Amino acid sequence: MNQRAYLDHNATSPLRPEVREAVEAALSLQGNPSSVHAEGRAARAAVEQARAKVAALVGARPEDVIFTSGGTEANALALAAPAGGDSWHCYLSAIEHPSVLAGGRFHRETTTLIPVSPDGVADLAVLAEKLEKHKPGGWRPLVSLMAANNETGAIQPVADAAQIVHEAGGILHSDAVQSAGRMPLDIRALGADMVTLSAHKIGGPKGVGALVLAEGVSVEPLIKGGGQERRRRAGTENVPGIVGFGVAAELAAAELSRVNEIAELRDSLEAGVRGLAADTVIFSDRVPRLPNTSAIAIPGVKAETMVIGLDLAGVAVSAGSACSSGKVEASHVLAAMGVAPELAQAAIRISLGFGTGNTDIQYCLSALAGLIKRLKKDAKEAA
C-alpha cells in the first residue's frame, strides 16, 4: 500500500490499539449493566471504571458523567431547556458546532447568536450587553461557548464567559469535543456547568460521547423510559463503546505532556506552507490555538481541489468541519469571522494527533509542493 499521512484528527482520530483491545474484551461481557446477577455486575463494573476515567479527563466527579451516543447528542441534551418555571433564553457563539447552533429545544425566537472577532474569538462584551438587555424580560440565560473551535483551533474565553453568565443568574455549557486531550481541561477551572466530550476525537470508538455536569447541576432528559445514567439518559448502555472511551480518555490525559511537541510540528507545517506560497493565509494565528490545528488558505486555490489533490497524493485533510455528509460547503465559522467568501472557499483544515510525526509533516509538504506548483501553473495558463 502506498504511504499515507493522516492529518484529519479533528474529524476523527484513528482507533488506538489499546482501545481496540479493550473494546474487543468488553464485547465478551454478556450481562446487561442494569442486571443484578454476576454477569450484569461485571458489565456495570466495566462501565463505572470507564466513567471514572472520563471524569478524570476534565476534573469531574464520576457520578456527573452522562454517557451518550456522541457529542451531538450530548450537545442536544445540554441545550434542553432546564426544568422548572423559569423562562430561558439561549445564547450561542456564532462559531459553534452545527449540533449546538441547531439550538436543542430552544426556538429561534429564544436564541441569540454572539459574534466573534476577525480572529475567531467570541465577543464577551456583546454577550454581557445582550444578557443585560434581556434582564428586564425575566429571562434566565443558557449560554453555549465551545472550549476551542473545531475549524481554526482558536481557544475561547470560557472561564471569563462563565463569570459573566453566572453573575446574570444563568448556566454555561462548553463543547469541549476538540479540546479534550489537546489542552488541559478542568470543569471547575473553566467555570462551566456542562461540558461535552466525544470518544472518537481522542482515539476512542465512534458512537459514544458524554455530557459532564458540574457538581449540583441537573438536566432534563432527552431520552426517557428507563433508569439508566441516573435517569438522565434512558437506554441500555453501549458497554464496549464506553469501555473504549474510558481507555482513550486515560491515554489522552497521559499524552498532554506531548502538547508542545505537537505545536512544534504544526508550526513547522505552517512555515513550510508559507515557504511554498508566500500569500498563504493562516486563520486565527494571532490568538491562542489548539496545538494540533491549522486552518490555511492559498488564495485562488479552491479547498475542494486541495483536499482531493492531497488525497490522491496520499494525505488526508479536510475542508472545515466534517459534519456535512461528505460535502465541501462554505464555512459558517469563517463567515462569522468576516472572511471574504472567495478566501473562505480556499480554506482547508490540517489537524494532527497521537502518532503524528515529522515524517507526516514532511510528506504533506512534499505533496503540497507538487500540488501548488501544478495549480499555480494551471491558473497562470488559464489567465
PDB file of all heavy atoms in Angstrom, residues 209-246:
ATOM      1  N   GLY A 209     -20.227   9.329  23.468  1.00  0.00           N
ATOM      2  CA  GLY A 209     -19.791  10.625  23.973  1.00  0.00           C
ATOM      3  C   GLY A 209     -20.271  10.792  25.392  1.00  0.00           C
ATOM      4  O   GLY A 209     -20.740   9.836  26.022  1.00  0.00           O
ATOM      5  N   ALA A 210     -20.171  12.003  25.906  1.00  0.00           N
ATOM      6  CA  ALA A 210     -20.606  12.246  27.280  1.00  0.00           C
ATOM      7  C   ALA A 210     -20.927  13.711  27.480  1.00  0.00           C
ATOM      8  O   ALA A 210     -20.289  14.591  26.883  1.00  0.00           O
ATOM      9  CB  ALA A 210     -19.529  11.819  28.271  1.00  0.00           C
ATOM     10  N   LEU A 211     -21.925  13.948  28.317  1.00  0.00           N
ATOM     11  CA  LEU A 211     -22.164  15.282  28.855  1.00  0.00           C
ATOM     12  C   LEU A 211     -21.751  15.220  30.312  1.00  0.00           C
ATOM     13  O   LEU A 211     -22.260  14.397  31.079  1.00  0.00           O
ATOM     14  CB  LEU A 211     -23.632  15.680  28.737  1.00  0.00           C
ATOM     15  CG  LEU A 211     -23.947  17.095  29.252  1.00  0.00           C
ATOM     16  CD1 LEU A 211     -23.281  18.147  28.367  1.00  0.00           C
ATOM     17  CD2 LEU A 211     -25.452  17.334  29.314  1.00  0.00           C
ATOM     18  N   VAL A 212     -20.800  16.063  30.680  1.00  0.00           N
ATOM     19  CA  VAL A 212     -20.282  16.087  32.042  1.00  0.00           C
ATOM     20  C   VAL A 212     -20.842  17.308  32.755  1.00  0.00           C
ATOM     21  O   VAL A 212     -20.766  18.434  32.238  1.00  0.00           O
ATOM     22  CB  VAL A 212     -18.736  16.126  32.046  1.00  0.00           C
ATOM     23  CG1 VAL A 212     -18.210  16.031  33.467  1.00  0.00           C
ATOM     24  CG2 VAL A 212     -18.173  14.993  31.183  1.00  0.00           C
ATOM     25  N   LEU A 213     -21.395  17.097  33.933  1.00  0.00           N
ATOM     26  CA  LEU A 213     -22.021  18.174  34.686  1.00  0.00           C
ATOM     27  C   LEU A 213     -21.127  18.652  35.824  1.00  0.00           C
ATOM     28  O   LEU A 213     -20.366  17.863  36.399  1.00  0.00           O
ATOM     29  CB  LEU A 213     -23.352  17.697  35.278  1.00  0.00           C
ATOM     30  CG  LEU A 213     -24.352  17.052  34.314  1.00  0.00           C
ATOM     31  CD1 LEU A 213     -25.589  16.612  35.086  1.00  0.00           C
ATOM     32  CD2 LEU A 213     -24.723  18.009  33.195  1.00  0.00           C
ATOM     33  N   ALA A 214     -21.228  19.920  36.148  1.00  0.00           N
ATOM     34  CA  ALA A 214     -20.607  20.416  37.368  1.00  0.00           C
ATOM     35  C   ALA A 214     -21.428  19.904  38.545  1.00  0.00           C
ATOM     36  O   ALA A 214     -22.610  19.568  38.408  1.00  0.00           O
ATOM     37  CB  ALA A 214     -20.560  21.943  37.365  1.00  0.00           C
ATOM     38  N   GLU A 215     -20.804  19.841  39.694  1.00  0.00           N
ATOM     39  CA  GLU A 215     -21.493  19.319  40.872  1.00  0.00           C
ATOM     40  C   GLU A 215     -22.751  20.137  41.169  1.00  0.00           C
ATOM     41  O   GLU A 215     -22.718  21.362  41.214  1.00  0.00           O
ATOM     42  CB  GLU A 215     -20.546  19.358  42.071  1.00  0.00           C
ATOM     43  CG  GLU A 215     -21.082  18.669  43.300  1.00  0.00           C
ATOM     44  CD  GLU A 215     -20.054  18.571  44.403  1.00  0.00           C
ATOM     45  OE1 GLU A 215     -18.855  18.868  44.138  1.00  0.00           O
ATOM     46  OE2 GLU A 215     -20.418  18.200  45.528  1.00  0.00           O
ATOM     47  N   GLY A 216     -23.866  19.442  41.323  1.00  0.00           N
ATOM     48  CA  GLY A 216     -25.121  20.093  41.659  1.00  0.00           C
ATOM     49  C   GLY A 216     -25.967  20.509  40.475  1.00  0.00           C
ATOM     50  O   GLY A 216     -27.112  20.945  40.652  1.00  0.00           O
ATOM     51  N   VAL A 217     -25.445  20.372  39.254  1.00  0.00           N
ATOM     52  CA  VAL A 217     -26.197  20.756  38.056  1.00  0.00           C
ATOM     53  C   VAL A 217     -27.047  19.571  37.592  1.00  0.00           C
ATOM     54  O   VAL A 217     -26.618  18.423  37.636  1.00  0.00           O
ATOM     55  CB  VAL A 217     -25.241  21.197  36.926  1.00  0.00           C
ATOM     56  CG1 VAL A 217     -26.007  21.459  35.629  1.00  0.00           C
ATOM     57  CG2 VAL A 217     -24.472  22.441  37.347  1.00  0.00           C
ATOM     58  N   SER A 218     -28.252  19.855  37.140  1.00  0.00           N
ATOM     59  CA  SER A 218     -29.131  18.801  36.629  1.00  0.00           C
ATOM     60  C   SER A 218     -29.579  19.148  35.219  1.00  0.00           C
ATOM     61  O   SER A 218     -29.502  20.306  34.792  1.00  0.00           O
ATOM     62  CB  SER A 218     -30.356  18.620  37.532  1.00  0.00           C
ATOM     63  OG  SER A 218     -31.103  19.813  37.586  1.00  0.00           O
ATOM     64  N   VAL A 219     -30.036  18.144  34.478  1.00  0.00           N
ATOM     65  CA  VAL A 219     -30.523  18.353  33.118  1.00  0.00           C
ATOM     66  C   VAL A 219     -31.863  17.648  32.947  1.00  0.00           C
ATOM     67  O   VAL A 219     -32.196  16.711  33.678  1.00  0.00           O
ATOM     68  CB  VAL A 219     -29.532  17.821  32.057  1.00  0.00           C
ATOM     69  CG1 VAL A 219     -28.266  18.635  32.024  1.00  0.00           C
ATOM     70  CG2 VAL A 219     -29.214  16.351  32.306  1.00  0.00           C
ATOM     71  N   GLU A 220     -32.620  18.118  31.985  1.00  0.00           N
ATOM     72  CA  GLU A 220     -33.893  17.498  31.622  1.00  0.00           C
ATOM     73  C   GLU A 220     -33.610  16.429  30.563  1.00  0.00           C
ATOM     74  O   GLU A 220     -33.061  16.735  29.507  1.00  0.00           O
ATOM     75  CB  GLU A 220     -34.847  18.553  31.058  1.00  0.00           C
ATOM     76  CG  GLU A 220     -36.200  18.027  30.650  1.00  0.00           C
ATOM     77  CD  GLU A 220     -37.058  17.617  31.830  1.00  0.00           C
ATOM     78  OE1 GLU A 220     -36.742  18.027  32.974  1.00  0.00           O
ATOM     79  OE2 GLU A 220     -38.049  16.897  31.607  1.00  0.00           O
ATOM     80  N   PRO A 221     -33.943  15.149  30.802  1.00  0.00           N
ATOM     81  CA  PRO A 221     -33.601  14.087  29.848  1.00  0.00           C
ATOM     82  C   PRO A 221     -34.207  14.312  28.468  1.00  0.00           C
ATOM     83  O   PRO A 221     -35.338  14.789  28.338  1.00  0.00           O
ATOM     84  CB  PRO A 221     -34.186  12.824  30.491  1.00  0.00           C
ATOM     85  CG  PRO A 221     -34.356  13.165  31.932  1.00  0.00           C
ATOM     86  CD  PRO A 221     -34.645  14.633  31.987  1.00  0.00           C
ATOM     87  N   LEU A 222     -33.449  13.959  27.453  1.00  0.00           N
ATOM     88  CA  LEU A 222     -33.973  13.925  26.093  1.00  0.00           C
ATOM     89  C   LEU A 222     -34.639  12.582  25.824  1.00  0.00           C
ATOM     90  O   LEU A 222     -35.656  12.497  25.159  1.00  0.00           O
ATOM     91  CB  LEU A 222     -32.845  14.120  25.079  1.00  0.00           C
ATOM     92  CG  LEU A 222     -32.302  15.509  24.816  1.00  0.00           C
ATOM     93  CD1 LEU A 222     -31.153  15.426  23.823  1.00  0.00           C
ATOM     94  CD2 LEU A 222     -33.393  16.417  24.279  1.00  0.00           C
ATOM     95  N   ILE A 223     -34.008  11.517  26.328  1.00  0.00           N
ATOM     96  CA  ILE A 223     -34.487  10.154  26.100  1.00  0.00           C
ATOM     97  C   ILE A 223     -34.986   9.601  27.427  1.00  0.00           C
ATOM     98  O   ILE A 223     -34.206   9.440  28.373  1.00  0.00           O
ATOM     99  CB  ILE A 223     -33.382   9.256  25.523  1.00  0.00           C
ATOM    100  CG1 ILE A 223     -32.829   9.862  24.226  1.00  0.00           C
ATOM    101  CG2 ILE A 223     -33.904   7.846  25.284  1.00  0.00           C
ATOM    102  CD1 ILE A 223     -31.648   9.116  23.656  1.00  0.00           C
ATOM    103  N   LYS A 224     -36.273   9.311  27.491  1.00  0.00           N
ATOM    104  CA  LYS A 224     -36.882   8.823  28.722  1.00  0.00           C
ATOM    105  C   LYS A 224     -37.356   7.386  28.551  1.00  0.00           C
ATOM    106  O   LYS A 224     -37.463   6.883  27.431  1.00  0.00           O
ATOM    107  CB  LYS A 224     -38.057   9.725  29.115  1.00  0.00           C
ATOM    108  CG  LYS A 224     -37.665  11.189  29.310  1.00  0.00           C
ATOM    109  CD  LYS A 224     -38.871  12.044  29.673  1.00  0.00           C
ATOM    110  CE  LYS A 224     -38.463  13.502  29.844  1.00  0.00           C
ATOM    111  NZ  LYS A 224     -39.617  14.368  30.208  1.00  0.00           N
ATOM    112  N   GLY A 225     -37.640   6.738  29.689  1.00  0.00           N
ATOM    113  CA  GLY A 225     -38.179   5.391  29.611  1.00  0.00           C
ATOM    114  C   GLY A 225     -37.387   4.357  30.373  1.00  0.00           C
ATOM    115  O   GLY A 225     -37.722   3.175  30.348  1.00  0.00           O
ATOM    116  N   GLY A 226     -36.345   4.761  31.058  1.00  0.00           N
ATOM    117  CA  GLY A 226     -35.540   3.829  31.840  1.00  0.00           C
ATOM    118  C   GLY A 226     -34.729   4.573  32.872  1.00  0.00           C
ATOM    119  O   GLY A 226     -34.591   5.795  32.816  1.00  0.00           O
ATOM    120  N   GLY A 227     -34.163   3.828  33.793  1.00  0.00           N
ATOM    121  CA  GLY A 227     -33.428   4.443  34.891  1.00  0.00           C
ATOM    122  C   GLY A 227     -31.937   4.562  34.663  1.00  0.00           C
ATOM    123  O   GLY A 227     -31.202   4.934  35.585  1.00  0.00           O
ATOM    124  N   GLN A 228     -31.479   4.264  33.439  1.00  0.00           N
ATOM    125  CA  GLN A 228     -30.037   4.308  33.179  1.00  0.00           C
ATOM    126  C   GLN A 228     -29.477   5.728  33.324  1.00  0.00           C
ATOM    127  O   GLN A 228     -30.203   6.706  33.206  1.00  0.00           O
ATOM    128  CB  GLN A 228     -29.731   3.786  31.760  1.00  0.00           C
ATOM    129  CG  GLN A 228     -30.041   2.326  31.559  1.00  0.00           C
ATOM    130  CD  GLN A 228     -31.473   2.071  31.135  1.00  0.00           C
ATOM    131  OE1 GLN A 228     -32.295   2.989  31.081  1.00  0.00           O
ATOM    132  NE2 GLN A 228     -31.783   0.817  30.815  1.00  0.00           N
ATOM    133  N   GLU A 229     -28.174   5.780  33.567  1.00  0.00           N
ATOM    134  CA  GLU A 229     -27.464   7.058  33.724  1.00  0.00           C
ATOM    135  C   GLU A 229     -28.153   7.962  34.740  1.00  0.00           C
ATOM    136  O   GLU A 229     -28.332   9.157  34.521  1.00  0.00           O
ATOM    137  CB  GLU A 229     -27.330   7.768  32.373  1.00  0.00           C
ATOM    138  CG  GLU A 229     -26.522   6.989  31.352  1.00  0.00           C
ATOM    139  CD  GLU A 229     -25.112   6.690  31.816  1.00  0.00           C
ATOM    140  OE1 GLU A 229     -24.330   7.636  31.989  1.00  0.00           O
ATOM    141  OE2 GLU A 229     -24.792   5.490  32.037  1.00  0.00           O
ATOM    142  N   ARG A 230     -28.539   7.352  35.861  1.00  0.00           N
ATOM    143  CA  ARG A 230     -29.226   8.082  36.948  1.00  0.00           C
ATOM    144  C   ARG A 230     -30.470   8.812  36.428  1.00  0.00           C
ATOM    145  O   ARG A 230     -30.758   9.932  36.801  1.00  0.00           O
ATOM    146  CB  ARG A 230     -28.267   9.055  37.638  1.00  0.00           C
ATOM    147  CG  ARG A 230     -27.167   8.342  38.425  1.00  0.00           C
ATOM    148  CD  ARG A 230     -26.171   9.311  39.019  1.00  0.00           C
ATOM    149  NE  ARG A 230     -25.292   8.628  39.965  1.00  0.00           N
ATOM    150  CZ  ARG A 230     -24.218   7.907  39.610  1.00  0.00           C
ATOM    151  NH1 ARG A 230     -23.904   7.791  38.330  1.00  0.00           N
ATOM    152  NH2 ARG A 230     -23.487   7.306  40.531  1.00  0.00           N
ATOM    153  N   ARG A 231     -31.199   8.145  35.566  1.00  0.00           N
ATOM    154  CA  ARG A 231     -32.450   8.630  34.966  1.00  0.00           C
ATOM    155  C   ARG A 231     -32.268   9.888  34.114  1.00  0.00           C
ATOM    156  O   ARG A 231     -33.205  10.647  33.873  1.00  0.00           O
ATOM    157  CB  ARG A 231     -33.525   8.871  36.040  1.00  0.00           C
ATOM    158  CG  ARG A 231     -33.909   7.609  36.797  1.00  0.00           C
ATOM    159  CD  ARG A 231     -35.166   7.767  37.610  1.00  0.00           C
ATOM    160  NE  ARG A 231     -35.519   6.487  38.221  1.00  0.00           N
ATOM    161  CZ  ARG A 231     -36.174   5.509  37.616  1.00  0.00           C
ATOM    162  NH1 ARG A 231     -36.564   5.674  36.368  1.00  0.00           N
ATOM    163  NH2 ARG A 231     -36.447   4.379  38.235  1.00  0.00           N
ATOM    164  N   ARG A 232     -31.054  10.091  33.633  1.00  0.00           N
ATOM    165  CA  ARG A 232     -30.799  11.268  32.813  1.00  0.00           C
ATOM    166  C   ARG A 232     -30.671  10.935  31.326  1.00  0.00           C
ATOM    167  O   ARG A 232     -30.643  11.823  30.480  1.00  0.00           O
ATOM    168  CB  ARG A 232     -29.528  11.983  33.306  1.00  0.00           C
ATOM    169  CG  ARG A 232     -29.654  12.478  34.734  1.00  0.00           C
ATOM    170  CD  ARG A 232     -28.360  13.017  35.295  1.00  0.00           C
ATOM    171  NE  ARG A 232     -27.301  12.012  35.334  1.00  0.00           N
ATOM    172  CZ  ARG A 232     -26.153  12.138  36.007  1.00  0.00           C
ATOM    173  NH1 ARG A 232     -25.926  13.247  36.701  1.00  0.00           N
ATOM    174  NH2 ARG A 232     -25.254  11.188  35.997  1.00  0.00           N
ATOM    175  N   ARG A 233     -30.577   9.621  31.021  1.00  0.00           N
ATOM    176  CA  ARG A 233     -30.493   9.203  29.622  1.00  0.00           C
ATOM    177  C   ARG A 233     -30.877   7.722  29.563  1.00  0.00           C
ATOM    178  O   ARG A 233     -30.070   6.849  29.873  1.00  0.00           O
ATOM    179  CB  ARG A 233     -29.082   9.416  29.088  1.00  0.00           C
ATOM    180  CG  ARG A 233     -28.949   9.472  27.568  1.00  0.00           C
ATOM    181  CD  ARG A 233     -28.711   8.126  26.953  1.00  0.00           C
ATOM    182  NE  ARG A 233     -28.428   8.235  25.530  1.00  0.00           N
ATOM    183  CZ  ARG A 233     -28.179   7.189  24.733  1.00  0.00           C
ATOM    184  NH1 ARG A 233     -28.195   5.949  25.228  1.00  0.00           N
ATOM    185  NH2 ARG A 233     -27.941   7.366  23.446  1.00  0.00           N
ATOM    186  N   ALA A 234     -32.122   7.453  29.159  1.00  0.00           N
ATOM    187  CA  ALA A 234     -32.617   6.079  29.144  1.00  0.00           C
ATOM    188  C   ALA A 234     -31.996   5.270  28.011  1.00  0.00           C
ATOM    189  O   ALA A 234     -31.559   5.813  27.001  1.00  0.00           O
ATOM    190  CB  ALA A 234     -34.136   6.081  29.013  1.00  0.00           C
ATOM    191  N   GLY A 235     -31.968   3.953  28.210  1.00  0.00           N
ATOM    192  CA  GLY A 235     -31.443   3.050  27.190  1.00  0.00           C
ATOM    193  C   GLY A 235     -30.248   2.280  27.716  1.00  0.00           C
ATOM    194  O   GLY A 235     -29.418   2.824  28.451  1.00  0.00           O
ATOM    195  N   THR A 236     -30.167   1.004  27.342  1.00  0.00           N
ATOM    196  CA  THR A 236     -29.044   0.179  27.782  1.00  0.00           C
ATOM    197  C   THR A 236     -27.722   0.770  27.313  1.00  0.00           C
ATOM    198  O   THR A 236     -27.570   1.137  26.137  1.00  0.00           O
ATOM    199  CB  THR A 236     -29.192  -1.261  27.226  1.00  0.00           C
ATOM    200  OG1 THR A 236     -30.418  -1.813  27.699  1.00  0.00           O
ATOM    201  CG2 THR A 236     -28.033  -2.136  27.670  1.00  0.00           C
ATOM    202  N   GLU A 237     -26.790   0.868  28.205  1.00  0.00           N
ATOM    203  CA  GLU A 237     -25.501   1.489  27.891  1.00  0.00           C
ATOM    204  C   GLU A 237     -24.728   0.691  26.828  1.00  0.00           C
ATOM    205  O   GLU A 237     -24.790  -0.537  26.797  1.00  0.00           O
ATOM    206  CB  GLU A 237     -24.638   1.621  29.149  1.00  0.00           C
ATOM    207  CG  GLU A 237     -25.193   2.572  30.195  1.00  0.00           C
ATOM    208  CD  GLU A 237     -26.088   1.901  31.218  1.00  0.00           C
ATOM    209  OE1 GLU A 237     -26.569   0.767  30.935  1.00  0.00           O
ATOM    210  OE2 GLU A 237     -26.317   2.487  32.286  1.00  0.00           O
ATOM    211  N   ASN A 238     -24.002   1.418  26.006  1.00  0.00           N
ATOM    212  CA  ASN A 238     -23.122   0.819  24.998  1.00  0.00           C
ATOM    213  C   ASN A 238     -21.830   0.411  25.704  1.00  0.00           C
ATOM    214  O   ASN A 238     -20.842   1.152  25.717  1.00  0.00           O
ATOM    215  CB  ASN A 238     -22.854   1.849  23.894  1.00  0.00           C
ATOM    216  CG  ASN A 238     -21.804   1.397  22.892  1.00  0.00           C
ATOM    217  OD1 ASN A 238     -21.350   0.254  22.902  1.00  0.00           O
ATOM    218  ND2 ASN A 238     -21.406   2.307  22.024  1.00  0.00           N
ATOM    219  N   VAL A 239     -21.840  -0.758  26.302  1.00  0.00           N
ATOM    220  CA  VAL A 239     -20.726  -1.161  27.173  1.00  0.00           C
ATOM    221  C   VAL A 239     -19.384  -1.173  26.447  1.00  0.00           C
ATOM    222  O   VAL A 239     -18.416  -0.548  26.930  1.00  0.00           O
ATOM    223  CB  VAL A 239     -21.021  -2.526  27.835  1.00  0.00           C
ATOM    224  CG1 VAL A 239     -19.821  -2.977  28.667  1.00  0.00           C
ATOM    225  CG2 VAL A 239     -22.268  -2.432  28.704  1.00  0.00           C
ATOM    226  N   PRO A 240     -19.238  -1.842  25.290  1.00  0.00           N
ATOM    227  CA  PRO A 240     -17.919  -1.828  24.635  1.00  0.00           C
ATOM    228  C   PRO A 240     -17.461  -0.415  24.257  1.00  0.00           C
ATOM    229  O   PRO A 240     -16.278  -0.071  24.410  1.00  0.00           O
ATOM    230  CB  PRO A 240     -18.149  -2.688  23.384  1.00  0.00           C
ATOM    231  CG  PRO A 240     -19.312  -3.546  23.714  1.00  0.00           C
ATOM    232  CD  PRO A 240     -20.198  -2.691  24.568  1.00  0.00           C
ATOM    233  N   GLY A 241     -18.390   0.416  23.758  1.00  0.00           N
ATOM    234  CA  GLY A 241     -18.021   1.780  23.390  1.00  0.00           C
ATOM    235  C   GLY A 241     -17.584   2.591  24.592  1.00  0.00           C
ATOM    236  O   GLY A 241     -16.604   3.341  24.534  1.00  0.00           O
ATOM    237  N   ILE A 242     -18.302   2.446  25.686  1.00  0.00           N
ATOM    238  CA  ILE A 242     -17.973   3.186  26.904  1.00  0.00           C
ATOM    239  C   ILE A 242     -16.629   2.738  27.459  1.00  0.00           C
ATOM    240  O   ILE A 242     -15.802   3.564  27.887  1.00  0.00           O
ATOM    241  CB  ILE A 242     -19.097   3.010  27.944  1.00  0.00           C
ATOM    242  CG1 ILE A 242     -20.343   3.800  27.499  1.00  0.00           C
ATOM    243  CG2 ILE A 242     -18.643   3.452  29.329  1.00  0.00           C
ATOM    244  CD1 ILE A 242     -21.574   3.518  28.314  1.00  0.00           C
ATOM    245  N   VAL A 243     -16.373   1.439  27.434  1.00  0.00           N
ATOM    246  CA  VAL A 243     -15.078   0.929  27.897  1.00  0.00           C
ATOM    247  C   VAL A 243     -13.948   1.509  27.048  1.00  0.00           C
ATOM    248  O   VAL A 243     -12.916   1.953  27.560  1.00  0.00           O
ATOM    249  CB  VAL A 243     -15.062  -0.609  27.853  1.00  0.00           C
ATOM    250  CG1 VAL A 243     -13.642  -1.150  28.034  1.00  0.00           C
ATOM    251  CG2 VAL A 243     -15.979  -1.182  28.937  1.00  0.00           C
ATOM    252  N   GLY A 244     -14.155   1.532  25.738  1.00  0.00           N
ATOM    253  CA  GLY A 244     -13.145   2.108  24.858  1.00  0.00           C
ATOM    254  C   GLY A 244     -12.939   3.588  25.110  1.00  0.00           C
ATOM    255  O   GLY A 244     -11.812   4.098  25.057  1.00  0.00           O
ATOM    256  N   PHE A 245     -14.034   4.288  25.394  1.00  0.00           N
ATOM    257  CA  PHE A 245     -13.964   5.710  25.717  1.00  0.00           C
ATOM    258  C   PHE A 245     -13.091   5.918  26.948  1.00  0.00           C
ATOM    259  O   PHE A 245     -12.246   6.827  26.985  1.00  0.00           O
ATOM    260  CB  PHE A 245     -15.381   6.224  25.957  1.00  0.00           C
ATOM    261  CG  PHE A 245     -15.534   7.721  26.024  1.00  0.00           C
ATOM    262  CD1 PHE A 245     -14.470   8.599  25.847  1.00  0.00           C
ATOM    263  CD2 PHE A 245     -16.794   8.272  26.258  1.00  0.00           C
ATOM    264  CE1 PHE A 245     -14.642   9.973  25.895  1.00  0.00           C
ATOM    265  CE2 PHE A 245     -16.977   9.649  26.319  1.00  0.00           C
ATOM    266  CZ  PHE A 245     -15.902  10.490  26.134  1.00  0.00           C
ATOM    267  N   GLY A 246     -13.286   5.084  27.956  1.00  0.00           N
ATOM    268  CA  GLY A 246     -12.505   5.214  29.176  1.00  0.00           C
ATOM    269  C   GLY A 246     -11.014   5.040  28.935  1.00  0.00           C
ATOM    270  O   GLY A 246     -10.192   5.819  29.442  1.00  0.00           O
TER     271      GLY A 246
END
